[in-house]
Amino acid sequence: MQPEFWHERWSSNRIGFHRDAPLPLLVAHWPALDLAPDARVFVPLCGKSLDMVWLAERGHRVLGVELSELAVRQFFETRGLVPAIHETAAGAHFVAGAYELIVGDAFALEADVLADCAAVYDRAALIALPPDLRRTYAATAWRRLPAGCRGLLVTLEYPQAEKSGPPFSVPADEVHALLDRDWRIDAVERRDILANEPGFVADGVTALSTVVYRMARRG
């Protein structure tokens, strides 16, 4: 999962992907999943995202996985939480309040770690990976989530030849090719965001959309 790349981004504070507020698309579309308040939500490549705080404020329990221990420690420090830490085969688990964040590899999480996850929220993971790793990710973390799991997947679409990722463009046909076997997939919103992303404009990108998919794991 290109750990050196992400460790360097975090250590040098080059984290333009980190946002200082919950994603509006999460706020808009999460309620339609109709989850129990105490549902456990899997958040892959979670970083120190404030989306996790928003989910916890809804009563959910958050299970995140992140390669960077620095990001995980910063998340708890910013919340004023002192996590208990224990080691398992999956990595170091940092646990406090509604949050359990694993410093480890999302590809390597076994099904038993994810067994009680009622939902998944992927805003940053699929689009962070090049095509070969997207296939691995779909065949591991997503496939190991339990039957009945529901969630949101957020992607980007832009002319890939105009910019090298990450974040990468993941078109709808690829989302279906990766996940149709195990998931029911419904695109619920496609939004043009180029005007709000000056970095993409500066790189010469001519079109940029974000797409939200509602996901349901097949039984």
Side-chain angles (χ1 to χ4, degrees):
M1 285 183 62
Q2 304 167 302
E4 298 81 7
F5 173 87
W6 293 108
H7 288 311
E8 193 279 328
R9 291 288 293 267
W10 280 101
S11 64
S12 62
N13 202 38
R14 294 193 299 121
I15 52 172
F17 48 83
H18 177 72
R19 297 179 181 270
D20 60 4
L23 187 72
L25 293 170
L26 167 66
V27 176
H29 292 289
W30 192 260
L33 297 178
D34 194 27
L35 294 161
D38 64 347
R40 197 179 199 198
V41 182
F42 176 50
V43 184
L45 274 66
C46 62
K48 56 179 182 179
S49 172
L50 295 182
D51 293 346
M52 294 190 288
V53 178
W54 188 89
L55 290 167
E57 289 172 348
R58 312 276 85 70
H60 299 318
R61 295 171 295 129
V62 174
L63 174 66
V65 62
E66 168 57 46
L67 285 168
S68 170
E69 182 173 331
L70 176 61
V72 169
R73 290 188 178 276
Q74 287 179 355
F75 176 83
F76 285 105
E77 289 169 3
T78 302
R79 312 271 81 71
L81 297 172
V82 180
I85 304 171
H86 66 275
E87 294 280 349
T88 72
H93 295 237
F94 289 66
V95 184
Y99 310 103
E100 179 176 0
L101 306 188
I102 303 172
V103 178
D105 183 347
F107 296 176
L109 294 181
E110 296 296 339
D112 62 332
V113 178
L114 303 170
D116 67 343
C117 290
V120 56
Y121 172 60
D122 181 342
R123 178 184 72 84
L126 191 67
I127 62 173
L129 302 171
D132 58 333
L133 293 184
R134 293 198 289 267
R135 290 189 291 271
T136 301
Y137 172 53
T140 54
W142 276 86
R143 185 161 296 162
R144 292 168 185 162
L145 285 161
C149 187
R150 288 169 277 171
L152 296 181
L153 169 65
V154 183
T155 65
L156 294 175
E157 293 182 359
Y158 63 90
Q160 190 68 81
E162 296 179 352
K163 177 179 171 64
S164 60
F168 294 94
S169 175
V170 184
D173 58 353
E174 183 179 354
V175 170
H176 284 274
L178 290 171
L179 297 170
D180 259 342
R181 168 181 164 180
D182 302 310
W183 295 82
R184 294 190 300 276
I185 304 168
D186 294 299
V188 293
E189 184 172 350
R190 183 181 305 271
R191 182 180 296 184
D192 182 346
I193 60 169
L194 185 62
N196 301 322
E197 297 292 341
F200 279 81
V201 175
D203 286 340
V205 174
T206 58
L208 175 66
S209 296
T210 188
V211 186
V212 183
Y213 298 92
R214 187 166 55 236
M215 313 293 292
R217 185 71 162 85
R218 301 183 192 277

